[in-house]
Amino acid sequence: MSLLVFTSTITQNGATVGTYVYNAMNERVAKNHGSTTTRFVYDQTSQLVSEASGSTRRDYIAVAGIPLAVADGASLGFIAADGLGSPRAVTSSTGAVVWTHVSGNIVGEHAALGIGTSTAPMPKQN
């Protein structure tokens, strides 16, 4: 059972752009952005395994803590990680790049390059 420890609110120009909820393990368990709430699920080793928002669900597949793939609806993306296991790019089954790590956004949100959007950093990216 996760216990709520704290929330964090991000503001930009005086307006709230996001609220984050963390549990006792310092895992982000919810994100509120506008009218959308995203829930995050972790395994016993604090590895992010799934996120859900409304009827949309994204599952992360890893072996020994190294991210390998992300299942997003009917699509499966393959993760290219760096030497520390941090995701740096995701490619489609055809090899097209659909997500890359882009730094600099204060709320940690990145637009995908092709088949949708990523609303949070990939696991182990922080």
Side-chain angles (χ1 to χ4, degrees):
M1 179 173 129
S2 296
L3 300 174
L4 171 67
V5 172
F6 67 94
T7 60
S8 176
T9 301
I10 306 298
T11 59
Q12 188 173 36
N13 298 326
T16 298
V17 294
T19 302
Y20 302 92
V21 180
Y22 297 86
N23 66 14
M25 300 294 292
N26 201 31
E27 300 163 337
R28 182 175 58 187
V29 295
K31 177 183 111 176
N32 300 307
H33 184 263
S35 62
T36 304
T37 298
T38 304
R39 304 276 181 204
F40 302 91
V41 178
Y42 299 84
D43 67 11
Q44 65 275 15
T45 65
S46 292
Q47 179 83 34
L48 179 64
V49 295
S50 184
E51 62 181 85
S53 178
S55 62
T56 303
R57 181 174 166 166
R58 178 177 293 148
D59 296 305
Y60 299 99
I61 301 158
V63 173
I66 303 297
L68 300 177
V70 57
D72 193 358
S75 66
L76 181 65
F78 301 96
I79 299 171
D82 64 16
L84 298 175
S86 299
R88 294 300 173 195
V90 176
T91 58
S92 69
S93 59
T94 63
V97 175
V98 295
W99 179 90
T100 58
H101 171 68
V102 180
S103 62
N105 188 319
I106 63 165
V107 293
E109 297 181 353
H110 310 290
L113 299 177
I115 59 169
T117 59
S118 173
T119 58
M122 296 292 286
K124 289 189 154 187
Q125 192 171 330
N126 296 337

